[in-house]
Amino acid sequence: MSTELGCVEHDTLSLSPEEQAMLAGEEGPGVRKAIEIIVALGRIYGARRLVPVGSVQVAGVSYRNLGEAGLRFLREWADQGARARVPALLNPAGVDLRAWRALGFSEEFAARQAAVIEAYARLGVDATCTCTPYLVGNRPRLGEHIAWAESSAVSYANSVLGARTNREGGPSALAAAITGRTAAYGLHLAENRRATLRVEVRCALRSVADFGALGHLVGRAAGNRVPYFVGIEDAPSELGLKALGAAMASSGAVALYHVAGVTPEARAGQVLAHTHERLVVDDLRPAYAALDTGSQPVDLVWFGCPHAGLEEIAEVVRLLRGRRAKAALWVTTARRVRDRAASAGLVAALEAAGGRVLTDMCVVVAPMQELGFRCVATPSAKGATYLPGHAGLQVRFGSVEECVEAAVRGAWAES
Ligand code: F3S
């Protein structure tokens, strides 16, 4: 049905003339397919309109998850002339696209991974592969609508930056990039951004791992609700918030949280819903017991989940104090962050200790069975949650200091 404004209503969903033209195929079959996906999601979730997005982060990048069927799907969409019309980058891939051979990954996997990246490049997506777009110059503004896919990035954008995104799937994020739009439902709407779980933290948070442990516990209790934290107003650095959000997004499905007096929407006004539940956290030991479960000697130590920033790389180098690592020591990061780390001498310092600063990849989605590692140490609660099931690795979970010591000794120091 047409309205006076030239909008067409699909159930409750109104489309602008430009969106109607996309749906009619006037911009080609690739764009029509993309807007069909956005409109279908809008109808399912009762959206009333589409909103322009400032940027997109696309998931479904590791060939291990995508496979030949996924690669074919991307190529066909590119053949239909679809191209991203807003800045779009990729989630991490399965291997470092340059260093895969030195790491021992197979040529066969690396070639298929390269084919995936090439397909995305044809679709106009920036080949930067990272779960921290906000560390490579993409920091959305407060209130800006975006369409990001990786759960920790979604949490950071919504919570720490106050941008607005649902957790997109691979096709829906790509469709948002191609149309420059997403359907206005879920966390795009102010009424869904209010917290319904008040979390009172009554224990000290001394490390980034402690923030992850807190997030692990709260995520399990919260499910997909929006938590509101009190009691950590003095503690959090951006690193702590990054770890907190990543952990809640993996043990639960938390895509937005607020911290009293800290995160932008909590600073701006009342974000706790009148009707809410209460959760008290006064002990982090249950989280450590759940995450620190390995029994084998540590043969890989992994930092950079989510991808490390410059200060995290510098911290690892500082804690090494010039010592050599016995275990393999990997720091994963975005390529542009690695370039900055190289200019600062951090890459050379880490390599002198026997470590590597890797780009593009994530250990969780890498074909780790090709390399023969058995037990990985990490300060990432998110990594510790996913590594056993996704990569078949045992996990030791602890602070950055404990993980650096594990790298140097090749063993975990039992406390
Ligand atoms: Fe990023 Fe992989 Fe961790 S996508 S948040 S490094 S599990």
Side-chain angles (χ1 to χ4, degrees):
M1 183 216 303
S2 283
T3 68
E4 286 171 12
L5 298 171
C7 294
V8 170
E9 297 206 351
H10 293 268
D11 308 325
T12 56
L13 181 64
S14 295
L15 298 180
S16 70
E18 193 186 349
E19 291 154 1
Q20 294 166 38
M22 290 186 204
L23 202 54
E26 289 177 23
E27 294 192 38
V31 175
R32 182 175 60 208
K33 178 153 96 184
I35 195 93
E36 281 172 354
I37 290 171
I38 301 290
V39 166
L41 284 169
R43 284 179 178 157
I44 289 167
Y45 291 104
R48 304 184 72 82
R49 64 191 174 106
L50 308 186
V51 285
V53 291
S55 66
V56 172
Q57 186 217 20
V58 180
V61 180
S62 172
Y63 179 73
R64 198 176 138 214
N65 298 340
L66 210 55
E68 273 314 292
L71 177 55
R72 203 163 42 245
F73 175 80
L74 294 176
R75 284 173 166 164
E76 283 169 7
W77 215 348
D79 289 344
Q80 290 173 330
R83 298 291 178 271
R85 67 179 73 196
V86 295
L89 50 65
L90 295 172
N91 209 29
V95 292
D96 183 313
L97 298 169
R98 293 185 193 161
W100 58 268
R101 195 188 299 277
L103 296 175
F105 289 112
S106 68
E107 183 146 15
E108 187 189 353
F109 184 89
R112 300 321 284 156
Q113 184 62 77
V116 170
I117 304 297
E118 191 188 311
Y120 276 120
R122 284 185 60 214
L123 285 157
V125 179
D126 181 345
T128 298
C129 301
T130 185
C131 47
T132 56
Y134 49 88
L135 295 181
V136 292
N138 187 343
R139 279 179 88 87
R141 297 181 316 276
L142 180 67
E144 181 177 354
H145 295 283
I146 58 176
W148 287 14
E150 196 282 317
S151 66
S152 76
V154 165
S155 173
Y156 194 95
N158 275 320
S159 314
V160 182
L161 304 178
R164 297 186 174 198
T165 179
N166 292 316
R167 184 179 173 190
E168 300 290 345
S172 70
L174 195 48
I178 292 164
T179 60
R181 288 159 172 80
T182 192
Y185 66 91
L187 295 177
H188 290 284
L189 305 178
E191 62 263 32
N192 296 326
R193 298 180 66 86
R194 296 173 79 80
T196 53
L197 181 67
R198 177 186 158 96
V199 182
E200 296 174 20
V201 182
R202 297 185 186 161
C203 50
L205 302 174
R206 298 191 177 87
S207 66
V208 166
D210 279 355
F211 275 93
L214 171 65
H216 183 79
L217 296 176
V218 175
R220 283 202 310 209
N224 65 359
R225 288 182 287 175
V226 179
Y228 176 79
F229 287 89
V230 294
I232 60 172
E233 295 82 342
D234 298 332
S237 61
E238 285 210 2
L239 285 185
L241 296 176
K242 182 182 171 198
L244 178 69
M248 287 191 290
S250 51
S251 67
V254 174
L256 164 66
Y257 64 93
H258 304 290
V259 179
V262 174
T263 51
E265 285 165 85
R267 280 205 314 267
Q270 176 60 261
V271 288
L272 183 62
H274 184 66
T275 305
H276 59 263
E277 285 182 25
R278 227 176 115 240
L279 173 72
V280 174
V281 180
D282 55 9
D283 186 1
L284 299 178
R285 281 174 297 183
Y288 278 88
L291 296 170
D292 177 29
T293 52
S295 56
Q296 303 268 359
V298 171
D299 46 18
L300 170 65
V301 179
W302 178 34
F303 302 96
C305 171
H307 275 176
L310 205 57
E311 62 178 299
E312 292 167 87
I313 302 172
E315 174 77 345
V316 174
V317 168
R318 186 184 71 75
L319 290 167
L320 278 165
R321 300 196 307 273
R323 296 173 293 169
R324 258 196 96 72
K326 279 206 184 95
L329 193 174
W330 293 2
V331 183
T332 47
T333 190
R335 191 166 294 281
R336 268 171 264 173
V337 174
R338 188 187 194 278
D339 290 346
R340 293 203 289 270
S343 301
L346 296 171
V347 173
L350 214 98
E351 287 176 350
R356 295 177 184 276
V357 181
L358 302 173
T359 62
D360 318 312
M361 68 174 285
C362 159
V363 171
V364 168
V365 297
M368 293 301 286
Q369 73 286 352
E370 293 184 353
L371 306 192
F373 292 118
R374 286 177 302 175
C375 183
V376 56
T378 181
S380 167
K382 175 172 180 179
T385 299
Y386 284 145
L387 283 166
H390 288 251
L393 291 164
Q394 291 193 2
V395 175
R396 303 308 314 249
F397 170 71
S399 67
V400 175
E401 288 86 344
E402 287 173 303
C403 290
V404 168
E405 291 309 310
V408 170
R409 295 154 48 111
W412 191 255
E414 300 295 343
S415 49

